[in-house]
Amino acid sequence: MKIEVVEVDGKLQYLLPIKEMEKIRLENFINPPNFAKQLNISLRSYYRFLENPYTNQVTTADAINQFIKTFEGK
């Protein structure tokens, strides 16, 4: 699981592995507000990423990347 950089409509954006993260959330019985806190993003952003996994926000991508590193380190 990793964040990729892709071109969307002529702009480079981060493609977040949100489906894999949603699977982790469901397997660990974590509710969405608590999971968003663990990701260090807003709940509103989390729901938006479920519909559209692309972002150009470096801070959001970095927060999710930190979660991935922590999760894969377990």
Side-chain angles (χ1 to χ4, degrees):
M1 177 169 43
K2 71 177 201 171
I3 296 175
E4 298 177 28
V5 177
V6 296
E7 188 172 339
V8 179
D9 296 329
K11 298 178 184 175
L12 292 177
Q13 296 197 356
Y14 296 106
L15 173 58
L16 306 174
I18 200 73
K19 296 297 180 189
E20 292 92 341
M21 293 181 348
E22 180 69 357
K23 183 178 177 187
I24 291 168
R25 182 186 75 78
L26 293 171
E27 288 174 345
N28 291 290
F29 303 100
I30 303 170
N31 64 20
N34 288 340
F35 195 60
K37 280 184 191 174
Q38 287 181 358
L39 294 173
N40 200 22
I41 62 173
S42 70
L43 182 60
R44 182 178 181 181
S45 292
Y46 179 74
Y47 282 126
R48 284 183 178 171
F49 293 139
L50 286 175
E51 294 178 14
N52 179 9
Y54 298 97
T55 185
N56 61 358
Q57 298 176 356
V58 175
T59 54
T60 301
D62 185 46
I64 291 174
N65 193 43
Q66 292 299 322
F67 171 81
I68 291 169
K69 286 179 182 178
T70 302
F71 183 79
E72 289 179 345
K74 289 184 179 180

